[in-house]
Amino acid sequence: MKTALITGASSGIGKELARIHASKGGNLILVARRTEALEALKEELESTYKVQVSTFTQDLTQLHAAKKVYDFVNHSGLEVDYLMNNAGFGGHGNFVDRPLEKDLEMIQLNVTALVELTHLFLQDMKARGHGKILNTASTAGFLPGPLQATYFATKAFVVSFTEGLSYELRNAGVTVTALCPGPVKTEFEHVAGLEGGNMFDKGASAYKTAKSGYDGMMKGKVIQISEFSLSLLIRVFLPIIPLKWLSAVVEKMQTVPKK
Ligand SMILES: NC(=O)c1ccc[n+]([C@@H]2O[C@H](COP(=O)([O-])OP(=O)(O)OC[C@H]3O[C@@H](n4cnc5c(N)ncnc54)[C@H](OP(=O)(O)O)[C@@H]3O)[C@@H](O)[C@H]2O)c1
């Protein structure tokens, strides 16, 4: 029975990743800031499936947060077979007009915590000769991101980091996968301040997205774009579209009506 640690498990894609893993009989360690939401999910999963779920409340933007998660796992006598670095948030607006602290927090969560957790748990996985890592990136990682420049850049980091790392680990028995969804209907839209636009109207479901990521991770894929149409767009059309045009399209998509 494999144990998965999922960050950002209190809502959206992370919550669905937890449900999928539990439905396969896997144990879980759930991490996020909202204790009540984590406890409610623990209760749901333990009463539905024969699994053991641990929860750890942690703001991953805090200094030494990743080490605290790692220490919790070790002190609890647990071993992480699958690490799912999923917690993340976006933020709308021109970079220069946004509070810098918010963007630094975003980098801390979307990039630094992901790198720290990966480094800590990967050492154990490598020593054991097996393990899987799933990083929730985004199709934003392949695009310029006017009106969400920092967010898109954090996801470009996650894509690149995953690609490099997966090659380094090709003979280690450990795989690393980047899940790259387009718009998904979760709390992300509200948290990012993107409500009022129409980008999420036809967004994918959190379940479908999580299923795609989970399956990609199990197969050891490096890049898992969660929808075929987006995959086609990114792999075939993106390389031939001029940067200026692409930036204009993305900016339009990120524009929300003034309140
Ligand atoms: N929704 C989309 O359109 C979309 C598209 C592409 C990629 N993604 C990526 O998918 C991932 C999951 O997002 P989602 O769409 O499922 O959004 P969501 O519903 O807002 O979930 C975000 C999760 O991250 C956790 N989180 C946020 N800040 C945190 C912090 N400081 N410390 C610890 N945990 C924190 C949240 O839990 P707490 O609030 O309880 O801490 C929540 O569980 C993110 O990395 C996002 O960038 C989303």
Side-chain angles (χ1 to χ4, degrees):
M1 201 178 294
K2 303 289 186 193
T3 298
L5 187 151
I6 305 178
T7 67
S10 60
S11 79
I13 299 166
K15 194 175 185 177
E16 296 302 332
L17 283 169
R19 285 180 171 142
I20 292 166
H21 186 66
S23 75
K24 296 182 187 302
N27 294 330
L28 283 152
I29 303 156
L30 308 176
V31 181
R33 291 168 302 180
R34 284 171 287 178
T35 309
E36 274 183 23
L38 294 180
E39 289 301 321
L41 185 58
K42 170 184 161 79
E43 209 179 302
E44 174 197 315
L45 299 178
E46 286 185 337
S47 60
T48 313
Y49 308 103
K50 280 197 174 113
V51 297
Q52 284 178 354
V53 181
S54 308
T55 64
F56 189 63
T57 304
Q58 180 64 50
D59 182 343
L60 290 169
T61 64
Q62 298 300 301
L63 209 62
H64 309 308
K67 184 68 168 54
K68 284 184 187 160
V69 174
Y70 183 71
D71 288 347
F72 166 78
V73 169
N74 286 330
H75 292 156
S76 309
L78 298 166
E79 260 183 18
V80 172
D81 301 292
Y82 304 159
L83 169 65
M84 304 190 202
N85 286 307
N86 166 79
F89 72 94
H92 175 262
N94 275 311
F95 170 72
V96 72
D97 301 324
R98 286 178 47 79
L100 178 61
E101 313 82 67
K102 213 58 205 159
D103 279 29
L104 295 179
E105 234 177 65
M106 194 189 291
I107 294 168
Q108 192 71 30
L109 180 63
N110 299 7
V111 175
T112 309
L114 179 147
V115 169
E116 286 185 7
L117 285 168
T118 300
H119 197 264
L120 289 164
F121 286 105
L122 182 55
Q123 294 185 34
D124 297 336
M125 288 180 183
K126 217 178 155 193
R128 291 197 297 265
H130 62 86
K132 293 185 183 301
I133 299 173
L134 178 67
N135 294 326
T136 307
S138 170
T139 47
F142 303 101
L143 297 163
L147 293 182
Q148 271 217 89
T150 303
Y151 177 71
F152 277 53
T154 64
K155 295 304 179 179
F157 178 96
V158 177
V159 168
S160 173
F161 178 63
T162 302
E163 287 173 340
L165 198 55
S166 80
Y167 194 76
E168 284 181 7
L169 293 168
R170 65 193 177 284
N171 298 319
V174 181
T175 60
V176 196
T177 302
L179 165 62
C180 302
V184 186
K185 285 179 187 159
T186 64
E187 294 175 14
F188 178 89
E189 179 184 14
H190 171 71
V191 174
L194 287 161
E195 279 172 317
N198 52 15
M199 196 174 34
F200 293 86
D201 291 353
K202 288 189 181 149
S205 75
Y207 170 75
K208 203 175 150 221
T209 307
K211 176 86 173 58
S212 167
Y214 194 90
D215 291 348
M217 175 189 78
M218 293 311 287
K219 286 181 194 151
K221 285 185 74 175
V222 181
I223 300 294
Q224 177 77 11
I225 299 173
S226 53
E227 285 169 68
F228 178 71
S229 55
L230 290 173
S231 180
L232 199 68
L233 194 75
I234 285 160
R235 298 290 183 215
V236 180
F237 296 111
L238 218 58
I240 55 172
I241 302 176
L243 180 62
K244 226 175 174 175
W245 289 11
L246 197 57
S247 303
V249 171
V250 174
E251 187 185 59
K252 199 163 177 222
M253 285 170 68
Q254 306 288 319
T255 302
V256 294
K258 284 205 173 79
K259 286 165 194 152

